[in-house]
Amino acid sequence: MSIHRLAEMTWEEVRDARSDGSVAILPVGAVEAHGPHLPLGTDVVIAEAMARSCAEKLSEREVVAFVLPPLWYTAAGFADNFPGTICVDERTVSDLIRQIATSLKGQGITTLAIANAHLDPTHVGSLRAVASDPPAGSRIVFLDLTQRRNAEQLTEEFQTGACHAGRFEGSIVLAENPELFREEKARELEPNPASLSTAIGKGYTSFEEAGGMRAYFGWPADATAEEGQTTIETLGGLLADAIVAEGA
C-alpha cells in the first residue's frame, strides 16, 4: 500500500482508501529558535519525517495510514525570547487535537497518532493530557520521547538531554531538507553539553537559563545525513509499534 498524504488527496480518494482500522498521523511541532544554523520549523521537519516513516511501516503491516497536514503552533516557552518563535497556550493545542480526533471519528477513523519530537515540557504536558482524555470513541496515541524506555532507543546525544538543535536534530534536517541546514554556521559552533532535561528538572524555564544563549545544545557540528536517516527510521518504527500495541 502507498502512503496517503491527506492534503494531497481528493475527497473521493480518501473515501475509497479508508478501511476498518485506518489510522491518521498528525505531525506536531513548534515554530521556535533552533540555533543560528537550523530553521525555525525544524521540529515540523522532524515530525513530518517521523510520520512518513511510521506510515510506511504501518503500510507494510497492511494498515491504512493517512498523514495529516502538520500542526505548526504550540507551547514553546523556552525559546520565547528569540525572534521568530511563536508560542501559543497549551490548552489551545489540546483542544484543537481533540477536535481533529472528533472530526476524524465522524469519518470512521478512530485512531489519531501524534508524531512529535518537540520536548518543551508544557507542550509535552498538553499532548499527555489529550492522549489520556480523548473524545469518546476515539483513541489518541502519543509516543512520549521523554520516557526513558523510548529515549533509550535513540542516539547518545539525545539521551544526554543536550539535544536541541544539536547533532540529533541537525542530522534529521540534513537527511530530509539539506538545503535548510546552514552547514558553514553549524561547523563553526562549539559543542554545548548543557542538558536541557537537567535544566527542566531544576525548574529553569528558558534556553538562556539552561545555558543555551544561542538556542542550541549538543554537538551541531557533528550532524550527518546518515545518522538522520537512521533516526527517522527508529522514530517511525517506535510510533508504529505504539499504534499497533495500543490497538491490540
Side-chain angles (χ1 to χ4, degrees):
M1 290 186 288
S2 61
I3 294 176
H4 303 294
R5 300 182 185 276
L6 193 80
E8 299 173 4
M9 301 174 72
T10 69
W11 72 267
E12 291 183 341
E13 289 169 344
V14 173
R15 177 198 62 196
D16 296 341
R18 287 179 307 180
S19 67
D20 291 340
S22 291
V23 172
I25 307 170
L26 176 65
V28 177
V31 177
E32 68 167 358
H34 277 79
H37 60 297
L38 290 178
L40 294 163
T42 290
D43 287 337
V44 174
V45 172
I46 297 170
E48 289 196 297
M50 180 180 181
R52 185 195 67 244
S53 175
C54 176
E56 291 171 348
K57 296 180 187 307
L58 289 175
S59 179
E60 292 170 1
R61 305 184 196 191
E62 299 188 348
V63 176
V64 176
F66 297 94
V67 177
L68 305 183
L71 174 57
W72 283 83
Y73 303 109
T74 186
F78 267 70
D80 213 14
N81 294 329
F82 292 86
T85 297
I86 298 176
C87 186
V88 302
D89 184 274
E90 64 270 22
R91 290 169 297 183
T92 301
V93 177
S94 295
D95 289 345
L96 180 56
I97 292 174
R98 285 192 181 94
Q99 290 184 46
I100 292 171
T102 298
S103 181
L104 290 166
K105 181 187 65 175
Q107 304 175 46
I109 302 173
T110 58
T111 296
L112 174 63
I114 299 171
N116 171 74
H118 174 51
L119 305 182
D120 179 282
T122 302
H123 167 72
V124 171
S126 70
L127 300 186
R128 287 174 179 162
V130 72
S132 63
D133 184 27
S138 293
R139 179 170 69 107
I140 296 179
V141 179
F142 169 48
L143 178 71
D144 189 347
L145 298 181
T146 68
Q147 293 184 348
R148 178 173 295 182
R149 68 175 183 273
N150 296 321
E152 288 176 346
Q153 306 301 311
L154 298 173
T155 67
E156 182 178 356
E157 186 199 69
F158 186 90
Q159 294 177 54
T160 69
C163 59
H164 179 83
R167 176 172 178 165
F168 175 83
E169 294 193 327
S171 292
I172 296 175
V173 173
L174 270 174
E176 282 293 293
N177 296 100
E179 71 280 4
L180 298 179
F181 186 88
R182 281 71 166 173
E183 185 166 1
E184 185 173 342
K185 288 183 179 290
R187 304 311 177 200
E188 294 174 352
L189 294 175
E190 293 293 326
N192 178 11
S195 172
L196 266 175
S197 55
T198 298
I200 291 168
K202 291 181 178 179
Y204 297 160
T205 60
S206 70
F207 285 152
E208 297 95 330
E209 288 180 327
M213 301 305 294
R214 298 184 74 188
Y216 80 88
F217 299 79
W219 289 259
D222 295 339
T224 67
E226 292 75 18
E227 178 179 303
Q229 188 56 52
T230 298
T231 300
I232 291 167
E233 292 297 308
T234 300
L235 290 169
L238 287 170
L239 184 56
D241 289 345
I243 292 167
V244 172
E246 291 192 25

